[in-house]
């Protein structure tokens, strides 16, 4: 497992929770019992350049010994399975920072072994993120300490209209997930997402997730900020829905927000879960 320390690392693994009235920041880790990904995400940047997935760049330039067959390959690392059990302090652990654990190519048996470890290591909070939400409900109910996330569809081979269509389908899949926290990663915010959520809310009382991450696009060191009106429209919806918002460090926005959801017990009715944001 890799510790996610300031100023680098994946900041949303360092979960803030209120314990006995005090705000505690958990240590953050990434954990990769599976590796590699076949989704092949790329994004076209506003300047016309095309960027690929950051994990692919890391795997094929910096971690070649661990990814001998390249990034677009499935790696199963059973020797890494018990790593969370050896960390005794409650931590936030992002599962599959170099993979999509729920990708269509990952054998069900391997996913279930990973979920079993998550359930056993009940003192940690695990976060997963997938671009294949159609498969997620197959693993219902998730361990009580799992936050199950879905990323915005990638911009490869898609125009914004295609992204909006895919996102609409994603929402239906997310709605079927039974987890204490469901979340969406909207990074990069590469098209105007708010109208898709507004359309959903015309037919449903609420959006089907309890936490959201918003970030800018990047190609190497070059950052591309989303349009201001896209972000403003999203914040208006999330505030109305009382969904906590976490800004990635690459987003330029004020006032800054790094909010987290509270863990809710699995035995509560999903409809009854309160939406409480913690100050960042
Ligand atoms: S799903 Fe994630 S890990 Fe897989 S290629 Fe896309 S961005 Fe990379």
């Amino acid at each position: 497992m890799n510790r996610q320390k300031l100023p680098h690392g994946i900041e949303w693994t360092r979960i803030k929770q209120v314990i006995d009235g005090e705000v505690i920041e958990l240590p953050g880790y990434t954990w990769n019992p599976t590796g590699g990904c076949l989704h092949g995400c790329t994004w076209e940047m506003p300047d016309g350049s095309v960027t690929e997935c950051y994990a692919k760049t890391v795997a094929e330039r910096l971690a070649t010994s661990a990814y001998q067959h390249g990034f677009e390959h499935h790696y199963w690392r059973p020797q890494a399975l018990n790593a969370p059990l050896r960390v005794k302090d409650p931590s936030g652990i992002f599962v599959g920072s170099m993979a999509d654990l729920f990708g269509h190519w990952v054998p069900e048996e391997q996913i279930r072994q990973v979920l079993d470890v998550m359930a056993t290591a009940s003192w940690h909070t695990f976060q997963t993120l997938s671009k294949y939400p159609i498969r997620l409900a197959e693993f219902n109910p998730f361990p009580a300490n799992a936050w199950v996330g879905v990323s915005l569809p990638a911009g490869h081979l898609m125009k914004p209209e295609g992204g909006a269509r895919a996102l609409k389908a994603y929402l239906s899949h997310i709605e079927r997930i039974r987890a204490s926290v469901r979340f969406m990663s909207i990074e990069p915010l590469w098209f105007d997402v708010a109208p898709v959520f507004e359309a959903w809310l015309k037919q449903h009382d609420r959006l089907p997730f309890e936490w959201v991450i918003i970030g800018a696009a990047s190609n190497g060191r070059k950052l591309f900020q989303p349009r201001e009106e896209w972000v403003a429209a999203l914040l208006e919806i999330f505030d109305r829905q009382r969904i906590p918002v976490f800004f990635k460090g690459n987003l330029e926005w004020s006032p800054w927000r790094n909010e987290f959801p509270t863990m809710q017990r699995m035995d509560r009715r999903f409809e009854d879960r309160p939406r409480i944001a913690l100050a960042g």
Side-chain angles (χ1 to χ4, degrees):
M1 298 214 302
N2 285 325
R3 184 81 184 261
Q4 302 297 294
K5 288 188 183 158
L6 283 170
H8 304 295
I10 301 174
E11 60 268 57
W12 42 265
T13 58
R14 296 189 293 266
I15 298 167
K16 285 184 182 149
Q17 297 277 267
V18 175
I19 300 173
D20 295 334
E22 209 185 319
V23 178
I24 307 282
E25 183 177 286
L26 302 183
Y29 290 88
T30 56
W31 173 44
N32 285 285
T34 64
C37 182
L38 309 189
H39 286 316
C41 301
T42 56
W43 291 264
E44 189 176 341
M45 299 286 113
D47 67 354
S49 63
V50 172
T51 186
E52 63 180 17
C53 152
Y54 180 70
K56 182 175 192 298
T57 308
V58 170
E60 295 184 352
R61 291 197 197 154
L62 305 173
T64 45
S65 57
Y67 292 87
Q68 289 180 352
H69 306 287
F71 186 64
E72 289 176 60
H73 181 87
H74 175 55
Y75 299 85
W76 172 233
R77 309 192 198 283
Q79 70 281 9
L81 264 183
N82 286 337
L85 302 173
R86 291 194 286 272
V87 176
K88 298 302 174 197
D89 289 335
S91 302
I93 300 176
F94 175 28
V95 190
S97 62
M98 300 290 289
D100 185 337
L101 175 63
F102 299 98
H104 57 82
W105 58 89
V106 184
E108 179 184 338
E109 165 59 20
Q110 293 176 6
I111 299 173
R112 294 211 181 271
Q113 286 189 54
V114 175
L115 291 171
D116 281 350
V117 174
M118 290 159 69
T120 306
S122 58
W123 57 96
H124 295 313
T125 302
F126 292 91
Q127 301 159 320
T128 68
L129 203 47
S130 178
K131 279 199 176 68
Y132 196 61
I134 192 169
R135 197 178 185 187
L136 290 169
E138 203 182 302
F139 299 95
N140 283 340
F142 281 81
N145 55 335
W147 295 9
V148 180
V150 171
S151 306
L152 194 66
H156 56 311
L157 307 177
M158 271 192 213
K159 297 285 175 212
E161 311 79 73
R165 251 195 321 276
L167 175 58
K168 192 174 156 202
Y170 276 23
L171 291 177
S172 306
H173 299 310
I174 299 171
E175 195 185 26
R176 293 168 48 232
I177 299 169
R178 291 295 173 254
S180 51
V181 172
R182 301 162 297 180
F183 68 98
M184 275 216 72
S185 169
I186 305 181
E187 190 211 6
L189 175 52
W190 64 276
F191 67 95
D192 189 9
V193 167
V196 181
F197 292 150
E198 291 289 14
W200 175 271
L201 287 169
K202 284 201 173 106
Q203 295 174 339
H204 303 80
D205 288 343
R206 54 183 54 174
L207 291 169
F209 48 88
E210 287 74 40
W211 185 43
V212 69
I213 299 165
I214 304 177
S218 59
N219 190 356
R221 289 170 181 236
K222 204 164 174 190
L223 282 181
F224 300 92
Q225 293 300 318
R227 286 196 210 154
E228 205 176 311
E229 62 269 25
W230 294 355
V231 181
L234 281 179
L235 293 180
E236 196 277 319
I237 295 172
F238 296 143
D239 287 348
R240 206 180 337 132
Q241 289 273 301
R242 296 177 58 211
I243 294 175
V245 176
F246 189 99
F247 289 153
K248 285 277 297 180
N250 62 10
L251 188 76
E252 287 171 10
W253 195 265
S254 180
W256 192 247
R257 294 171 66 163
N258 272 357
E259 300 160 351
F260 287 96
T262 52
M263 279 289 282
Q264 304 301 331
R265 290 172 56 88
M266 288 289 284
D267 53 9
R268 292 187 75 129
R269 282 183 355 121
F270 278 78
E271 300 73 27
D272 293 343
R273 285 176 299 189
R275 314 284 174 101
I276 303 169
L278 296 182

